């Protein structure tokens, strides 16, 4: 079975070709801050990113017709249970017009669906373990304001895949272990997994540490003042919090490597990087508390985990909390491909999302 995998991130679109479980090709199609700034909303980037995927296929002498399925990263749907879902017109309409959170992951299913429709044969499109998988315990949902509930929005696909991999290395099943897994990318998710179940997580858009381009948690009083200052529109503020925050706000770059280069001559730049590591360690510590200190493994994954300097900064705070494993990059592409493959081979029945819509 040949599967095309599409995984948009904030500043790139990852594309891969799998034959069964074998990854044949993978590339990261980069999108610069200047290029992305041309589009008022994330969904406006759809055609640009779809064209980039088609150029990738042409480069490798492929077309949509070569594939048995397209596996797309799940977007921000209403809360759903884990599993593999069929992408249909209802899901595409929701992600395009109704979702309450602007996020690059919303583009994947929409791009996959439109590419499949251009083919001369029927090509199914699937998502597996979308961002909105929700397994939070009741006490994790309360925010402190009755009308606001904490939401489960995370990089669960990669975190679950990495957790399963580490479990296998330890000779255990994922469902037998307690782990804190931190996905360190353009967005940061830190979650406690209790016996394989993600019982809490910071909303990667609104909570937790600041990242290369997101603010994470902010002082509420100052945010209110900013909102009512009259200096910014609603859309400008949203962009400031997600897209223009974090390293971009302080250093003008969303590249950790470039930030470290700045830090060689500018102590203030290094201080910003250290502050990001500090906040990540804080969040990991908080999630160890959620597991009541019973932690079999702490896992650092995502793009920033490639930086040994940055990983060492985080480790210096958390080394006493549990065994630390580092899995640089992510296994999201494998997780998406394997989910589609399980459906194609009849191992798993696909779920229909419209039955889950709320």
């Amino acid at each position: 079975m040949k599967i095309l995998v599409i995984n948009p991130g904030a500043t790139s679109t990852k594309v891969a070709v799998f034959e069964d479980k074998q990854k044949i090709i993978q590339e990261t199609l980069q999108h610069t801050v200047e290029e992305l700034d041309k589009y008022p909303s994330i969904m406006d980037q759809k055609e640009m990113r779809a064209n980039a995927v088609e150029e990738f296929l042409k480069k490798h002498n492929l077309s949509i017709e070569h594939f048995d399925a397209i596996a797309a990263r799940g977007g921000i749907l209403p809360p759903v249970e884990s599993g593999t879902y069929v992408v249909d017109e209802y899901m595409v309409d929701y992600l395009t017009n109704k979702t309450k959170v602007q996020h690059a992951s919303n583009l994947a299913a929409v791009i996959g669906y439109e590419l499949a429709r251009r083919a001369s044969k029927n090509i199914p499109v699937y998502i597996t373990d979308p961002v909105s998988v929700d397994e939070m315990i009741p006490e994790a949902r309360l925010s402190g304001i009755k009308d606001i509930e904490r939401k489960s929005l995370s990089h669960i696909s990669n975190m679950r895949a990495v957790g399963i991999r580490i479990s296998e290395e330890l000779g255990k099943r994922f469902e037998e272990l307690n782990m804190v897994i931190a996905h360190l990318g353009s967005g940061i998710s830190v979650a406690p997994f209790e016996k394989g179940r993600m019982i809490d997580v910071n909303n990667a858009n609104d909570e937790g540490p600041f990242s290369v381009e997101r603010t994470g948690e902010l002082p509420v009083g100052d945010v209110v003042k900013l909102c009512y200052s009259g200096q910014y529109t609603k859309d400008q503020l949203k962009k400031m919090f997600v897209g223009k925050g974090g390293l971009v706000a302080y250093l003008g770059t969303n590249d950790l490597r470039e930030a470290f280069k700045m830090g060689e001559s500018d102590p203030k730049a290094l201080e910003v990087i250290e502050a990001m590591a500090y906040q990540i360690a804080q969040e990991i510590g908080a999630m160890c508390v959620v597991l009541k200190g019973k932690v079999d493994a702490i896992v650092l994954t995502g793009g920033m985990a490639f930086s040994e300097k940055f990983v060492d900064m985080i480790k210096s705070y958390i080394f006493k909390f549990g065994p630390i494993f580092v899995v640089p990059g992510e296994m999201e592409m494998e997780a998406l491909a394997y989910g589609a493959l399980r459906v194609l081979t009849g191992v798993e029945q696909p779920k229909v999302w419209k039955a889950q819509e709320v």
Side-chain angles (χ1 to χ4, degrees):
M1 296 290 184
K2 187 168 283 189
I3 300 167
L4 174 65
V5 182
I6 302 172
N7 181 2
T11 58
S12 66
T13 302
K14 297 185 180 71
V15 189
V17 175
F18 282 76
E19 288 186 0
D20 293 332
K21 286 192 172 183
Q22 183 68 35
K23 182 162 61 179
I24 306 303
I25 310 165
Q26 178 170 330
E27 288 187 14
T28 298
L29 313 178
Q30 295 289 348
H31 312 299
T32 64
V33 172
E34 292 76 17
E35 183 180 20
L36 296 174
D37 277 347
K38 297 175 184 177
Y39 301 96
S41 74
I42 288 175
M43 195 52 65
D44 290 330
Q45 301 169 14
K46 176 183 65 177
E47 195 64 30
M48 178 271 290
R49 295 200 192 220
N51 289 340
V53 173
E54 289 195 311
E55 287 300 315
F56 160 85
L57 294 176
K58 288 178 185 177
K59 174 182 172 182
H60 295 283
N61 297 315
L62 292 168
S63 69
I64 296 298
E65 278 78 8
H66 285 102
F67 295 95
D68 297 289
I70 297 174
R73 181 184 181 190
I76 300 180
L77 301 165
V80 296
E81 60 184 25
S82 59
T84 296
Y85 292 79
V86 175
V87 176
D88 57 20
E89 65 269 26
Y90 300 101
M91 185 183 293
V92 168
D93 176 62
Y94 184 90
L95 292 170
T96 303
N97 302 309
K98 300 172 183 176
T99 183
K100 296 178 182 178
V101 179
Q102 290 291 313
H103 192 274
S105 62
N106 294 335
L107 288 162
V110 178
I111 292 171
Y113 186 75
E114 293 200 358
L115 290 176
R117 291 180 65 185
R118 298 176 191 177
S120 58
K121 66 176 185 178
N122 180 42
I123 300 176
V125 184
Y126 301 109
I127 62 170
T128 298
D129 290 337
V131 174
S132 54
V133 166
D134 186 346
E135 300 169 324
M136 288 171 65
I137 54 178
E139 54 266 43
R141 300 184 187 281
L142 276 65
S143 70
I145 294 181
K146 188 176 179 181
D147 294 333
I148 298 176
E149 183 177 274
R150 293 188 63 241
K151 297 177 178 65
S152 178
L153 298 170
S154 69
H155 300 83
I156 187 170
S157 182
N158 180 50
M159 290 193 290
R160 282 185 61 86
V162 170
I164 291 168
R165 172 176 162 179
I166 296 300
S167 300
E168 291 172 350
E169 290 182 10
L170 294 173
K172 301 279 189 178
R173 293 173 58 248
F174 188 44
E175 293 74 18
E176 296 176 315
L177 300 174
N178 287 351
M179 295 186 182
V180 174
I181 304 177
H183 175 97
L184 312 177
S186 55
I188 293 173
S189 295
V190 184
F193 286 81
E194 183 178 56
K195 309 303 181 189
R197 182 169 166 248
M198 188 176 70
I199 61 173
D200 197 352
V201 68
N202 66 287
N203 179 335
N205 269 353
D206 299 339
E207 302 174 328
F210 73 77
S211 71
V212 294
E213 57 179 29
R214 303 182 194 182
T215 62
E217 293 178 7
L218 293 169
V220 175
D222 291 330
V223 171
V224 172
K225 290 178 183 177
L226 202 63
C227 291
Y228 284 90
S229 68
Q231 298 179 48
Y232 307 99
T233 65
K234 180 180 178 180
D235 288 340
Q236 286 173 333
L237 285 169
K238 284 185 174 180
K239 193 72 173 176
M240 186 185 300
F241 300 151
V242 179
K244 296 285 191 178
L247 290 192
V248 172
Y250 288 111
L251 305 179
T253 181
N254 58 10
D255 189 329
L256 182 60
R257 295 164 297 185
E258 182 64 28
F260 266 114
K261 287 181 183 177
M262 294 180 186
E264 292 174 3
S265 57
D266 182 357
K268 286 293 184 183
L270 189 59
E271 184 178 272
V272 171
I273 299 170
E274 290 172 339
M276 184 165 63
Y278 170 83
Q279 289 193 8
I280 291 167
Q282 274 188 316
E283 193 74 10
I284 290 171
M287 296 310 183
C288 288
V289 170
V290 172
L291 293 173
K292 300 178 180 178
K294 299 175 182 177
V295 181
D296 297 300
I298 297 170
V299 186
L300 306 179
T301 185
M304 287 195 284
F306 279 110
S307 171
E308 290 186 17
K309 287 183 182 179
F310 192 62
V311 165
D312 286 343
M313 287 179 177
I314 299 169
K315 282 183 175 181
S316 70
Y317 292 101
I318 65 171
F319 67 95
K320 289 188 176 181
F321 296 169
I324 301 171
F325 298 83
V326 181
V327 184
E330 28 61 36
M331 293 182 64
E332 284 186 335
M333 307 303 276
E334 287 81 359
L336 296 173
Y338 297 170
L341 184 62
R342 287 193 298 271
V343 170
L344 291 174
T345 55
V347 172
E348 178 182 317
Q349 289 298 311
K351 297 179 179 180
V352 179
W353 175 78
K354 61 183 177 181
Q356 303 281 333
E357 187 173 357
V358 295

